[in-house]
Amino acid sequence: AELNMRFNDHIIAHLAARKGFAPTDKHAIRIFSAYELPVLVSNILLAISIFVLVVGLATLISGIVGVSNIMHIAVRERTQEIGIRRAMGAKAHQIVVLVLTESVIICLLFGYVGMFLGIELMELVAKVISMTGNSEVFYNPTVSLTYVLAVTGIMMVAGLVAGYVPAKQAVNTQTVDAMASRQTIRVRRGQRLMTAFGVFWGIVILILLLGSGRGLDNGIIDKVRSVPPNEMWIWPTKTSMAYKGFGRDRKWLLNSHDGELIRERFG
């Protein structure tokens, strides 16, 4: 990229000397090199990828908070059970593992359902786009095995994060207090499902955004790669500053002879 910019500066200096405009007048000439196109597109796709990651993770975090809340209620609901386990010799880490396992299973179960739904939706979108003949820009929005493994890891971490505080709450419950507890907290199955729905929806959004980014990458980057990197476009515009007796807003022309001279000088 640095060499490309230096090359453009040499051409501008050469034409400025021939045509009588200031070499520092960046508005007097426009140069676009095909080399810049993949760099530009890559930067755009990188920005899209960062946006996808932020939105997907933000949606997933809302689901994690919901699972954490439901695990808090589940721990309070099972206070006497935890007290009995502690009285029978259960270690603190065993109680923690019990709560964390339940939390991870909830996140994995609903997360995988969301993942499969998201993948099927992306396949449907790919078929519709292929039928409409617009696959040049958006092509093969599949989610690779790498993404699946990464999302699986995210769901496991989500389950551990969601269950950590409730697990510590369960461990800190005194055995005597737990045995004497007569709390009658009950959580309906529908409430559990609606709370875990946040994880499901977060994964669906994440997969859809990842697949969309992959489809744009496959469609646009492949077309960009087919552009010869040694092509460039040069066109004159009005000058923006006075130079050597010429006023600003002066029009100047390029012709075929200028192109031949540029080729002879720069190759």
Side-chain angles (χ1 to χ4, degrees), residues 34-61:
Y35 173 84
E36 299 170 9
L37 189 58
V39 177
L40 176 64
V41 172
S42 296
N43 290 337
I44 293 174
L45 291 176
L46 177 61
I48 292 175
S49 300
I50 294 174
F51 173 77
V52 163
L53 187 62
V54 171
V55 172
L57 291 179
T59 308
L60 187 59
I61 287 172

mmCIF file of all heavy atoms in Angstrom, residues 34-61:
data_model
loop_
_atom_site.group_PDB
_atom_site.id
_atom_site.type_symbol
_atom_site.label_atom_id
_atom_site.label_comp_id
_atom_site.label_asym_id
_atom_site.label_seq_id
_atom_site.Cartn_x
_atom_site.Cartn_y
_atom_site.Cartn_z
ATOM 1 N N ALA A 34 -6.417 -0.145 -9.304
ATOM 2 C CA ALA A 34 -7.132 -1.393 -9.019
ATOM 3 C C ALA A 34 -6.541 -2.107 -7.816
ATOM 4 O O ALA A 34 -7.206 -2.932 -7.191
ATOM 5 C CB ALA A 34 -7.100 -2.304 -10.249
ATOM 6 N N TYR A 35 -5.281 -1.769 -7.492
ATOM 7 C CA TYR A 35 -4.670 -2.358 -6.301
ATOM 8 C C TYR A 35 -5.431 -1.960 -5.040
ATOM 9 O O TYR A 35 -5.489 -2.728 -4.071
ATOM 10 C CB TYR A 35 -3.219 -1.894 -6.200
ATOM 11 C CG TYR A 35 -2.528 -2.296 -4.911
ATOM 12 C CD1 TYR A 35 -1.954 -3.555 -4.765
ATOM 13 C CD2 TYR A 35 -2.482 -1.420 -3.839
ATOM 14 C CE1 TYR A 35 -1.348 -3.927 -3.582
ATOM 15 C CE2 TYR A 35 -1.866 -1.783 -2.649
ATOM 16 C CZ TYR A 35 -1.298 -3.025 -2.528
ATOM 17 O OH TYR A 35 -0.710 -3.397 -1.360
ATOM 18 N N GLU A 36 -6.022 -0.768 -5.053
ATOM 19 C CA GLU A 36 -6.701 -0.256 -3.870
ATOM 20 C C GLU A 36 -8.050 -0.932 -3.644
ATOM 21 O O GLU A 36 -8.582 -0.878 -2.537
ATOM 22 C CB GLU A 36 -6.900 1.255 -4.000
ATOM 23 C CG GLU A 36 -5.598 2.034 -4.124
ATOM 24 C CD GLU A 36 -5.841 3.485 -4.487
ATOM 25 O OE1 GLU A 36 -7.012 3.898 -4.462
ATOM 26 O OE2 GLU A 36 -4.873 4.198 -4.791
ATOM 27 N N LEU A 37 -8.599 -1.542 -4.699
ATOM 28 C CA LEU A 37 -9.946 -2.098 -4.586
ATOM 29 C C LEU A 37 -10.038 -3.236 -3.573
ATOM 30 O O LEU A 37 -10.893 -3.210 -2.687
ATOM 31 C CB LEU A 37 -10.430 -2.554 -5.967
ATOM 32 C CG LEU A 37 -11.894 -2.954 -6.076
ATOM 33 C CD1 LEU A 37 -12.802 -1.800 -5.647
ATOM 34 C CD2 LEU A 37 -12.232 -3.393 -7.499
ATOM 35 N N PRO A 38 -9.172 -4.278 -3.655
ATOM 36 C CA PRO A 38 -9.264 -5.340 -2.636
ATOM 37 C C PRO A 38 -8.984 -4.845 -1.227
ATOM 38 O O PRO A 38 -9.551 -5.345 -0.271
ATOM 39 C CB PRO A 38 -8.223 -6.373 -3.091
ATOM 40 C CG PRO A 38 -7.318 -5.638 -4.002
ATOM 41 C CD PRO A 38 -8.139 -4.582 -4.662
ATOM 42 N N VAL A 39 -8.076 -3.840 -1.112
ATOM 43 C CA VAL A 39 -7.799 -3.281 0.212
ATOM 44 C C VAL A 39 -9.041 -2.601 0.766
ATOM 45 O O VAL A 39 -9.413 -2.775 1.943
ATOM 46 C CB VAL A 39 -6.623 -2.283 0.134
ATOM 47 C CG1 VAL A 39 -6.387 -1.638 1.499
ATOM 48 C CG2 VAL A 39 -5.362 -2.976 -0.353
ATOM 49 N N LEU A 40 -9.722 -1.823 -0.096
ATOM 50 C CA LEU A 40 -10.939 -1.129 0.319
ATOM 51 C C LEU A 40 -12.024 -2.118 0.719
ATOM 52 O O LEU A 40 -12.656 -1.986 1.779
ATOM 53 C CB LEU A 40 -11.424 -0.229 -0.818
ATOM 54 C CG LEU A 40 -12.751 0.495 -0.595
ATOM 55 C CD1 LEU A 40 -12.636 1.481 0.568
ATOM 56 C CD2 LEU A 40 -13.177 1.225 -1.868
ATOM 57 N N VAL A 41 -12.225 -3.128 -0.118
ATOM 58 C CA VAL A 41 -13.275 -4.114 0.165
ATOM 59 C C VAL A 41 -12.951 -4.900 1.432
ATOM 60 O O VAL A 41 -13.833 -5.175 2.253
ATOM 61 C CB VAL A 41 -13.449 -5.065 -1.041
ATOM 62 C CG1 VAL A 41 -14.384 -6.206 -0.694
ATOM 63 C CG2 VAL A 41 -13.979 -4.302 -2.242
ATOM 64 N N SER A 42 -11.689 -5.248 1.609
ATOM 65 C CA SER A 42 -11.296 -5.990 2.817
ATOM 66 C C SER A 42 -11.557 -5.175 4.075
ATOM 67 O O SER A 42 -12.028 -5.706 5.088
ATOM 68 C CB SER A 42 -9.813 -6.371 2.742
ATOM 69 O OG SER A 42 -9.576 -7.251 1.677
ATOM 70 N N ASN A 43 -11.267 -3.869 4.013
ATOM 71 C CA ASN A 43 -11.534 -3.011 5.169
ATOM 72 C C ASN A 43 -13.029 -2.921 5.459
ATOM 73 O O ASN A 43 -13.446 -2.925 6.630
ATOM 74 C CB ASN A 43 -10.963 -1.611 4.921
ATOM 75 C CG ASN A 43 -9.446 -1.593 4.931
ATOM 76 O OD1 ASN A 43 -8.817 -2.475 5.509
ATOM 77 N ND2 ASN A 43 -8.856 -0.612 4.276
ATOM 78 N N ILE A 44 -13.840 -2.842 4.400
ATOM 79 C CA ILE A 44 -15.295 -2.788 4.589
ATOM 80 C C ILE A 44 -15.795 -4.078 5.223
ATOM 81 O O ILE A 44 -16.590 -4.063 6.167
ATOM 82 C CB ILE A 44 -15.998 -2.533 3.247
ATOM 83 C CG1 ILE A 44 -15.670 -1.118 2.736
ATOM 84 C CG2 ILE A 44 -17.506 -2.701 3.377
ATOM 85 C CD1 ILE A 44 -16.200 -0.839 1.358
ATOM 86 N N LEU A 45 -15.316 -5.219 4.703
ATOM 87 C CA LEU A 45 -15.758 -6.504 5.253
ATOM 88 C C LEU A 45 -15.260 -6.699 6.683
ATOM 89 O O LEU A 45 -15.942 -7.328 7.494
ATOM 90 C CB LEU A 45 -15.269 -7.647 4.351
ATOM 91 C CG LEU A 45 -15.930 -7.719 2.982
ATOM 92 C CD1 LEU A 45 -15.304 -8.831 2.139
ATOM 93 C CD2 LEU A 45 -17.433 -7.964 3.108
ATOM 94 N N LEU A 46 -14.084 -6.165 6.987
ATOM 95 C CA LEU A 46 -13.593 -6.246 8.366
ATOM 96 C C LEU A 46 -14.503 -5.454 9.297
ATOM 97 O O LEU A 46 -14.838 -5.925 10.399
ATOM 98 C CB LEU A 46 -12.162 -5.709 8.436
ATOM 99 C CG LEU A 46 -11.537 -5.660 9.836
ATOM 100 C CD1 LEU A 46 -11.450 -7.062 10.435
ATOM 101 C CD2 LEU A 46 -10.148 -5.010 9.778
ATOM 102 N N ALA A 47 -14.917 -4.259 8.848
ATOM 103 C CA ALA A 47 -15.831 -3.454 9.656
ATOM 104 C C ALA A 47 -17.164 -4.178 9.840
ATOM 105 O O ALA A 47 -17.742 -4.171 10.933
ATOM 106 C CB ALA A 47 -16.050 -2.093 8.996
ATOM 107 N N ILE A 48 -17.651 -4.835 8.771
ATOM 108 C CA ILE A 48 -18.899 -5.592 8.868
ATOM 109 C C ILE A 48 -18.739 -6.738 9.859
ATOM 110 O O ILE A 48 -19.631 -7.013 10.671
ATOM 111 C CB ILE A 48 -19.314 -6.114 7.484
ATOM 112 C CG1 ILE A 48 -19.721 -4.939 6.581
ATOM 113 C CG2 ILE A 48 -20.467 -7.109 7.601
ATOM 114 C CD1 ILE A 48 -20.030 -5.350 5.160
ATOM 115 N N SER A 49 -17.600 -7.426 9.800
ATOM 116 C CA SER A 49 -17.361 -8.558 10.701
ATOM 117 C C SER A 49 -17.343 -8.112 12.161
ATOM 118 O O SER A 49 -17.904 -8.781 13.036
ATOM 119 C CB SER A 49 -16.033 -9.238 10.347
ATOM 120 O OG SER A 49 -16.055 -9.724 9.024
ATOM 121 N N ILE A 50 -16.703 -6.966 12.425
ATOM 122 C CA ILE A 50 -16.672 -6.450 13.796
ATOM 123 C C ILE A 50 -18.082 -6.098 14.254
ATOM 124 O O ILE A 50 -18.480 -6.397 15.389
ATOM 125 C CB ILE A 50 -15.747 -5.227 13.880
ATOM 126 C CG1 ILE A 50 -14.296 -5.654 13.609
ATOM 127 C CG2 ILE A 50 -15.847 -4.560 15.247
ATOM 128 C CD1 ILE A 50 -13.327 -4.495 13.527
ATOM 129 N N PHE A 51 -18.854 -5.461 13.364
ATOM 130 C CA PHE A 51 -20.244 -5.121 13.688
ATOM 131 C C PHE A 51 -21.056 -6.373 13.980
ATOM 132 O O PHE A 51 -21.844 -6.419 14.939
ATOM 133 C CB PHE A 51 -20.865 -4.349 12.524
ATOM 134 C CG PHE A 51 -22.338 -4.092 12.682
ATOM 135 C CD1 PHE A 51 -22.800 -3.102 13.531
ATOM 136 C CD2 PHE A 51 -23.265 -4.843 11.979
ATOM 137 C CE1 PHE A 51 -24.153 -2.865 13.682
ATOM 138 C CE2 PHE A 51 -24.624 -4.618 12.120
ATOM 139 C CZ PHE A 51 -25.071 -3.621 12.970
ATOM 140 N N VAL A 52 -20.867 -7.411 13.140
ATOM 141 C CA VAL A 52 -21.571 -8.687 13.334
ATOM 142 C C VAL A 52 -21.247 -9.267 14.695
ATOM 143 O O VAL A 52 -22.134 -9.707 15.441
ATOM 144 C CB VAL A 52 -21.172 -9.669 12.213
ATOM 145 C CG1 VAL A 52 -21.536 -11.098 12.587
ATOM 146 C CG2 VAL A 52 -21.850 -9.305 10.898
ATOM 147 N N LEU A 53 -19.962 -9.267 15.048
ATOM 148 C CA LEU A 53 -19.540 -9.858 16.316
ATOM 149 C C LEU A 53 -20.133 -9.106 17.503
ATOM 150 O O LEU A 53 -20.623 -9.713 18.460
ATOM 151 C CB LEU A 53 -18.014 -9.854 16.388
ATOM 152 C CG LEU A 53 -17.384 -10.593 17.567
ATOM 153 C CD1 LEU A 53 -17.733 -12.068 17.519
ATOM 154 C CD2 LEU A 53 -15.872 -10.408 17.560
ATOM 155 N N VAL A 54 -20.115 -7.770 17.425
ATOM 156 C CA VAL A 54 -20.628 -6.957 18.533
ATOM 157 C C VAL A 54 -22.123 -7.175 18.705
ATOM 158 O O VAL A 54 -22.615 -7.405 19.825
ATOM 159 C CB VAL A 54 -20.311 -5.463 18.294
ATOM 160 C CG1 VAL A 54 -21.035 -4.593 19.310
ATOM 161 C CG2 VAL A 54 -18.812 -5.224 18.378
ATOM 162 N N VAL A 55 -22.880 -7.111 17.598
ATOM 163 C CA VAL A 55 -24.339 -7.274 17.683
ATOM 164 C C VAL A 55 -24.696 -8.676 18.154
ATOM 165 O O VAL A 55 -25.557 -8.862 19.029
ATOM 166 C CB VAL A 55 -24.988 -6.975 16.313
ATOM 167 C CG1 VAL A 55 -26.472 -7.321 16.342
ATOM 168 C CG2 VAL A 55 -24.812 -5.516 15.953
ATOM 169 N N GLY A 56 -24.035 -9.696 17.580
ATOM 170 C CA GLY A 56 -24.338 -11.077 17.965
ATOM 171 C C GLY A 56 -24.033 -11.346 19.427
ATOM 172 O O GLY A 56 -24.840 -11.954 20.141
ATOM 173 N N LEU A 57 -22.879 -10.882 19.896
ATOM 174 C CA LEU A 57 -22.511 -11.120 21.293
ATOM 175 C C LEU A 57 -23.401 -10.320 22.244
ATOM 176 O O LEU A 57 -23.739 -10.806 23.332
ATOM 177 C CB LEU A 57 -21.044 -10.756 21.515
ATOM 178 C CG LEU A 57 -20.020 -11.678 20.840
ATOM 179 C CD1 LEU A 57 -18.606 -11.206 21.121
ATOM 180 C CD2 LEU A 57 -20.200 -13.124 21.289
ATOM 181 N N ALA A 58 -23.793 -9.106 21.834
ATOM 182 C CA ALA A 58 -24.692 -8.316 22.684
ATOM 183 C C ALA A 58 -26.030 -9.020 22.843
ATOM 184 O O ALA A 58 -26.608 -9.063 23.936
ATOM 185 C CB ALA A 58 -24.885 -6.921 22.089
ATOM 186 N N THR A 59 -26.536 -9.587 21.736
ATOM 187 C CA THR A 59 -27.792 -10.335 21.805
ATOM 188 C C THR A 59 -27.636 -11.567 22.684
ATOM 189 O O THR A 59 -28.527 -11.910 23.466
ATOM 190 C CB THR A 59 -28.237 -10.753 20.390
ATOM 191 O OG1 THR A 59 -28.250 -9.605 19.549
ATOM 192 C CG2 THR A 59 -29.622 -11.370 20.421
ATOM 193 N N LEU A 60 -26.484 -12.228 22.555
ATOM 194 C CA LEU A 60 -26.248 -13.434 23.345
ATOM 195 C C LEU A 60 -26.116 -13.103 24.828
ATOM 196 O O LEU A 60 -26.560 -13.872 25.691
ATOM 197 C CB LEU A 60 -24.985 -14.128 22.840
ATOM 198 C CG LEU A 60 -24.666 -15.498 23.445
ATOM 199 C CD1 LEU A 60 -25.795 -16.469 23.197
ATOM 200 C CD2 LEU A 60 -23.369 -16.037 22.859
ATOM 201 N N ILE A 61 -25.500 -11.970 25.150
ATOM 202 C CA ILE A 61 -25.341 -11.575 26.550
ATOM 203 C C ILE A 61 -26.695 -11.410 27.225
ATOM 204 O O ILE A 61 -26.880 -11.783 28.391
ATOM 205 C CB ILE A 61 -24.515 -10.282 26.653
ATOM 206 C CG1 ILE A 61 -23.047 -10.590 26.345
ATOM 207 C CG2 ILE A 61 -24.628 -9.648 28.033
ATOM 208 C CD1 ILE A 61 -22.170 -9.362 26.234
#
